[in-house]
Amino acid sequence: MKLATRDNGTLDGELLVVSDDGERAAPHPVWPNLLAAIEDWSTAERDLAALAREIANGGGNPLTGETLRAPLPRTWQWLDGSAFQTHADLMQVAFGTDPIQHDKPLMYQGMSDRFLGPAEPVPFIDEAHGIDFEGEFGVIVDHVAMGTSAADAMQHIRLLVQINDWSLRALAVPEMKTGFGWVQAKPACSIAPFAVTPDMLGEAWADGRICLDLVVEWNGRPFGCANGREMTYGFHELIAHAAATRDLVAGTIIGSGTVANANYAEVGSSCISERRAIEIIADGTPATPFMAFGDSCRMQALTADGRAPFGEIDQQVASHAPAGRDVSS
Amino acid sequence: MKLATRDNGTLDGELLVVSDDGERAAPHPVWPNLLAAIEDWSTAERDLAALAREIANGGGNPLTGETLRAPLPRTWQWLDGSAFQTHADLMQVAFGTDPIQHDKPLMYQGMSDRFLGPAEPVPFIDEAHGIDFEGEFGVIVDHVAMGTSAADAMQHIRLLVQINDWSLRALAVPEMKTGFGWVQAKPACSIAPFAVTPDMLGEAWADGRICLDLVVEWNGRPFGCANGREMTYGFHELIAHAAATRDLVAGTIIGSGTVANANYAEVGSSCISERRAIEIIADGTPATPFMAFGDSCRMQALTADGRAPFGEIDQQVASHAPAGRDVSS
């Protein structure tokens, strides 16, 4: 099953059930938005699946001209892991920091009150902050009780999503060195338009990993196509880590961290910082700058037969006028 | 104006306007809960203030026998500072970590999907995690635009609250060393029953600081009574820090971090870790253990004339049965 959220003027948007090919869609009369549905998923899933069958049989309307938002435009919790060892190794070079010694998954809590839609401009205050994209995957869970095991966590993975975790690199290292994690360095993320149930990926959903190539373009030029299978921890293990000392509220999104592969020389990267680290390793100094206002970033995860189950993120970086300043003068 | 949230079976609870003495209260017909009110505060405040005047003139009902929850039982964002230098200095001793070099406020993002009520038992998985309380103050803001200055941030401070930021110390240092901040070490916080507008504190609200003694008891014995005035950064500065690269959603709670004073030898502490640090400084080793299941913690901020504007937190630490295990056998 494939779901999307249409702009209807509300903060949560309107939930749409979408045909597998992304061509047709319909809202459900009972489930106004995805946040409401995920809070009562066992009932909602049955209702939404019935509508999905109707759409597969020719129901619904063409999905054209709609403004699609993030599948969850806001939710109660966003916990982002860093599960690709290649990414961790390269970021250590990029940041000039010591290797992280930790026998558990790496994870931080980020802002969840707003996820940008797949085509929304992304506002930033200052290019000097080191604007970077981070292509990753995520899962949306229903309620997970404190102390749930990784094996039991698997059944709570209800939907899969594709995320751009926007990052401000110049602010990241000082915040990281405090030990408090990132606040200024991690503004709102973006999510690709379609959230899909795990069965939609077939064999590409394996061992709690989304085994798809994440194709990333920066200003229309290929940047990376790393595959999601190389996670050191699967999503079920990330969930168990997050739930070790807290109940996870329904609608929690758990992120994989930046998708990265050991053969980065062939597949490229899913963030600029990694490319800069590779340049540092090769030449002693980074050559690639971070993003400028007006730059664009496109991301889509592709199946072996060329389909994009999550649709695509295609956004432009924009200059945000600071509050209280008159930019017209 | 003084507000509370009554349990009515919903996740957000029912908003109550409360008399200044905490004796009488009434719900408002238009504003069902505080999260809805803070999202449209300029209108809500006018309506709620009108009801407050009615209650002051004998309206409303006695506030007895109600189950009061956290004023905001859930919200979209919780950003906790660490604004008391004495706390930072002592935690460095307690944790055995290097001094934090940072020219900005310290802040992490914590879980906001659930704040426990003032009398709710607090569930933890394992005493070995080092269960600790952290008495602190907080503010609730309405929408704050990205880039808002500290001076302008002051007007967005709509309500003041008193918080117990429950912490698991044995998990804290390893998480801090990753640089990703705390996930497992910071389960749900608790909030005292009354949220108050800044004018309610009179001169005790000064320069963005809540200048009240926070009286903390552990198992009925006095533990600390540090005053909130010694914040290195005021709440308006913490808000500006948080809003530097993101809009702050209405309902965001910003915390002060553990209240601590330079004369801790006289006033004691607001968390066990600090007392252990003081013992380490004096004797080379900590003597005070962390909390055990069944322990209680009581906190109330007192005015010079002995009133408790936020009411009190009085909770017991409880053993949480891990999911999927049959504890009856």
Side-chain angles (χ1 to χ4, degrees):
Chain A
M1 190 161 57
K2 180 176 272 197
L3 302 174
T5 293
R6 174 166 64 184
D7 187 19
N8 68 345
T10 69
L11 290 166
D12 294 305
E14 183 181 32
L15 177 62
L16 294 177
V17 176
V18 181
S19 60
D20 290 0
D21 62 5
E23 297 290 328
R24 301 181 65 78
H28 193 282
V30 171
W31 301 100
N33 59 64
L34 182 52
L35 193 55
I38 200 74
E39 286 170 357
D40 189 9
W41 186 248
S42 57
T43 306
E45 185 179 32
R46 188 191 57 214
D47 292 351
L48 298 172
L51 177 56
R53 285 190 293 275
E54 287 179 32
I55 296 169
N57 291 327
N61 296 298
L63 185 63
T64 52
E66 305 282 1
T67 298
L68 294 184
R69 301 179 61 192
L72 270 181
R74 61 176 180 173
T75 191
W76 300 105
Q77 187 167 244
W78 157 237
L79 295 167
D80 194 12
S82 179
F84 291 88
Q85 189 60 44
T86 299
H87 176 66
D89 293 344
L90 289 172
M91 290 308 288
Q92 177 205 326
V93 174
F95 282 172
T97 47
D98 295 330
I100 296 171
Q101 308 292 343
H102 201 53
D103 59 357
K104 297 176 180 177
L106 296 170
M107 187 173 284
Y108 71 93
Q109 180 143 10
M111 69 176 278
S112 63
D113 62 85
R114 178 184 302 198
F115 288 91
L116 299 173
E120 253 183 280
V122 189
F124 295 104
I125 290 276
D126 191 346
E127 287 179 348
H129 286 165
I131 302 165
D132 199 357
F133 45 82
E134 279 199 348
E136 56 182 270
F137 294 114
V139 300
I140 304 175
V141 299
D142 58 2
H143 176 261
V144 181
M146 193 192 301
T148 294
S149 69
D152 289 346
M154 198 70 94
Q155 71 191 2
H156 294 287
I157 298 174
R158 299 309 192 173
L159 293 164
L160 313 180
V161 290
Q162 178 200 312
I163 297 168
N164 185 350
D165 174 32
W166 291 100
S167 298
L168 298 171
R169 301 304 188 186
L171 305 175
V173 179
E175 288 195 324
M176 203 172 177
K177 286 188 173 169
T178 67
F180 280 58
W182 300 289
V183 174
Q184 292 187 345
K186 292 285 188 182
C189 301
S190 308
I191 310 186
F194 303 125
V196 303
T197 48
D199 60 284
M200 287 281 290
L201 294 194
E203 293 182 356
W205 172 247
D207 196 22
R209 290 152 171 89
I210 297 173
C211 306
L212 297 178
D213 289 344
L214 182 59
V215 178
V216 179
E217 294 172 7
W218 177 14
N219 290 335
R221 289 186 295 275
F223 194 84
C225 57
N227 191 286
R229 77 169 69 84
E230 284 185 28
M231 288 169 76
T232 306
Y233 298 96
F235 279 110
H236 54 307
E237 293 166 300
L238 298 182
I239 294 165
H241 174 81
T245 62
R246 63 175 71 176
D247 289 339
L248 300 186
V249 64
T252 294
I253 307 177
I254 305 275
S256 67
T258 307
V259 177
N261 292 166
N263 65 336
Y264 53 75
E266 290 106 77
V267 301
S269 300
S270 305
C271 71
I272 297 172
S273 265
E274 276 189 33
R275 177 180 281 189
R276 288 166 58 91
I278 294 164
E279 292 164 348
I280 291 171
I281 292 167
D283 310 318
T285 184
T288 304
F290 290 110
M291 297 182 88
F293 294 142
D295 279 10
S296 66
C297 181
R298 185 164 177 258
M299 295 180 175
Q300 56 178 351
L302 292 183
T303 61
D305 59 351
R307 290 175 300 110
F310 304 107
E312 70 172 30
I313 294 175
D314 192 358
Q315 292 178 293
Q316 200 161 21
V317 164
S319 171
H320 173 86
R325 292 195 209 162
D326 181 358
V327 294
S328 65
S329 61
Chain B
M1 188 161 58
K2 180 177 273 197
L3 302 174
T5 292
R6 174 166 64 184
D7 187 17
N8 67 346
T10 69
L11 290 166
D12 294 305
E14 183 182 31
L15 177 61
L16 294 177
V17 177
V18 181
S19 60
D20 290 0
D21 62 6
E23 296 290 328
R24 301 182 65 77
H28 193 282
V30 171
W31 301 100
N33 58 65
L34 182 52
L35 194 54
I38 200 74
E39 286 170 358
D40 188 9
W41 186 248
S42 57
T43 306
E45 186 180 32
R46 188 191 56 213
D47 293 351
L48 298 172
L51 177 56
R53 284 190 295 274
E54 287 179 32
I55 296 169
N57 292 327
N61 295 298
L63 185 62
T64 53
E66 304 283 2
T67 298
L68 294 184
R69 302 179 60 192
L72 270 181
R74 61 177 180 172
T75 191
W76 300 105
Q77 186 165 246
W78 157 236
L79 294 167
D80 194 11
S82 179
F84 291 88
Q85 190 58 46
T86 299
H87 176 67
D89 293 344
L90 288 172
M91 290 308 289
Q92 177 204 326
V93 174
F95 282 172
T97 48
D98 294 330
I100 297 170
Q101 307 291 344
H102 202 52
D103 59 357
K104 296 177 180 177
L106 297 170
M107 187 173 284
Y108 71 93
Q109 180 143 11
M111 68 175 279
S112 63
D113 62 85
R114 177 184 303 200
F115 289 90
L116 299 174
E120 252 183 281
V122 189
F124 295 106
I125 290 275
D126 190 347
E127 287 178 347
H129 287 165
I131 302 166
D132 199 357
F133 46 82
E134 280 199 348
E136 56 182 271
F137 294 114
V139 300
I140 304 175
V141 299
D142 57 3
H143 177 260
V144 181
M146 193 193 300
T148 294
S149 68
D152 289 344
M154 197 70 93
Q155 70 191 2
H156 294 289
I157 298 174
R158 300 308 192 175
L159 293 164
L160 312 180
V161 292
Q162 179 201 312
I163 298 167
N164 185 351
D165 175 33
W166 292 100
S167 297
L168 298 171
R169 301 304 188 185
L171 305 176
V173 180
E175 288 196 325
M176 202 172 178
K177 286 187 174 169
T178 67
F180 280 57
W182 301 288
V183 174
Q184 292 187 345
K186 293 284 189 183
C189 301
S190 308
I191 310 186
F194 304 126
V196 303
T197 48
D199 61 284
M200 286 282 289
L201 294 194
E203 293 181 356
W205 172 247
D207 195 23
R209 290 153 171 89
I210 298 174
C211 306
L212 297 178
D213 290 343
L214 182 59
V215 178
V216 179
E217 294 173 8
W218 178 13
N219 290 335
R221 289 186 294 277
F223 193 85
C225 57
N227 191 285
R229 78 170 67 84
E230 284 184 29
M231 287 168 76
T232 305
Y233 298 96
F235 279 110
H236 55 307
E237 294 166 301
L238 298 182
I239 294 165
H241 174 80
T245 61
R246 64 175 71 177
D247 289 339
L248 301 186
V249 64
T252 294
I253 308 178
I254 305 276
S256 68
T258 307
V259 178
N261 293 165
N263 65 337
Y264 53 74
E266 289 107 77
V267 301
S269 301
S270 306
C271 71
I272 298 172
S273 266
E274 276 190 32
R275 178 181 280 188
R276 288 166 59 91
I278 294 164
E279 292 164 347
I280 291 171
I281 292 168
D283 309 318
T285 184
T288 305
F290 290 109
M291 297 183 87
F293 294 143
D295 280 11
S296 66
C297 181
R298 184 164 178 257
M299 296 181 175
Q300 57 178 351
L302 292 183
T303 62
D305 59 351
R307 291 175 298 112
F310 303 107
E312 69 172 32
I313 294 174
D314 192 359
Q315 292 177 291
Q316 201 163 19
V317 164
S319 171
H320 174 87
R325 289 194 212 164
D326 181 359
V327 293
S328 65
S329 61

